[in-house]
Amino acid sequence: MAIHDDGLPEAWGLNTNSQATIPVTVTNALMMAGGSDFSLALVPNVAAFTAPTPVPTREQSTIRVSRISAGDESAVATVDGTIIVWGNDTNNQLAAPAVTNIVAVASGNRFHVALDDAGVVSAWGDGISAVPAGLPAMRALAA
């Protein structure tokens, strides 16, 4: 997936679940994320979702989303510095910790991680509930 200079998103590759089909209404994309069977695009103040991941309710989709990340069968976003997650919860990937001031999120196979503005990392899902003891403040993360 990529975003053109004019903000138009583009996706290619396996498309068995329409994960590479960009809705024509998605323009001016700010960020994109790809999961195993779905893709996400962040457009100004609204997140757009493609099949087959369940779309958040209308109230959720009109809130201000600033970060997105897609995992195997679930996704995570930040809204005003807090975490929202949706999708499959077979490995507790929807059990996000109650943390605030989140500045970055990332997703792995069946887990998610988040970074707050003080550099503290949180992790959840697929047996991951803690980060290494004594981990110093971080400035970026990946999964």
Side-chain angles (χ1 to χ4, degrees), residues 70-95:
D72 182 36
E73 297 175 341
S74 61
V76 61
T78 60
V79 178
D80 297 326
T82 61
I83 298 169
I84 61 170
V85 290
W86 65 95
N88 188 329
D89 195 29
T90 56
N91 295 95
N92 292 320
Q93 23 331 12
L94 304 186

